[in-house]
Amino acid sequence: QVQLVESGGGLVQPGGSLRLSCAASGNIFSIDVMAWYRQAPEKQRELVATIISRGATNYADSVKGRFTISRDNAKNTVYLRMNNLKPEDTAVYYCYVQVRRSVISSSSEYWGQGTQVTVSS
């Protein structure tokens, strides 16, 4: 089993910054994909950013140039640095990983519990 612990959410004024963290632990051989999703009230969950094991990244158009995803493979941790935050960034942010438990196993998906980010003056 794999556990994900998120931290770093909170209340911030427009234009401010936050950094989210998500640490994975448990039966992990490798983590192929790490990502952040978000879900605003009455909206569907949407992909914010992804990062694969070799470091390539992808971002939603709405956050390009403002958010940066990174990972520390030694710590099995993914980060999301969010700058110039806007009220429309308000949502619950969820960590997502695809984990392999051995060199021959297929990957399994896991989700974090979610952390609230509120952007308001």
Side-chain angles (χ1 to χ4, degrees), residues 49-98:
T50 61
I51 183 167
I52 64 173
S53 57
R54 296 192 177 189
T57 59
N58 187 51
Y59 297 91
D61 288 343
S62 60
V63 306
K64 282 181 181 177
R66 299 187 298 122
F67 290 11
T68 302
I69 189 170
S70 60
R71 62 189 285 171
D72 184 333
N73 291 331
K75 296 181 179 179
N76 289 331
T77 299
V78 61
Y79 306 95
L80 185 69
R81 177 67 179 181
M82 305 183 291
N83 295 328
N84 190 22
L85 282 160
K86 303 175 181 180
E88 51 264 42
D89 295 317
T90 296
V92 177
Y93 283 70
Y94 296 91
C95 173
Y96 165 90
V97 298
Q98 291 183 5

Side-chain angles (χ1 to χ4, degrees), residues 13-62:
Q13 292 185 341
S17 298
L18 283 175
R19 190 180 81 153
L20 306 183
S21 300
C22 174
S25 63
N27 189 4
I28 299 171
F29 172 76
S30 66
I31 304 179
D32 295 338
V33 178
M34 307 185 88
W36 290 95
Y37 286 74
R38 67 186 181 187
Q39 187 167 17
E42 302 182 358
K43 291 189 176 181
Q44 290 188 332
R45 190 172 297 189
E46 63 174 357
L47 177 64
V48 176
T50 61
I51 183 167
I52 64 173
S53 57
R54 296 192 177 189
T57 59
N58 187 51
Y59 297 91
D61 288 343
S62 60

Side-chain angles (χ1 to χ4, degrees), residues 3-7 21-22 45 92-95 111-116:
Q3 296 78 41
L4 299 178
V5 177
E6 301 179 20
S7 61
S21 300
C22 174
R45 190 172 297 189
V92 177
Y93 283 70
Y94 296 91
C95 173
W111 290 89
Q113 78 282 5
T115 185
Q116 177 69 46

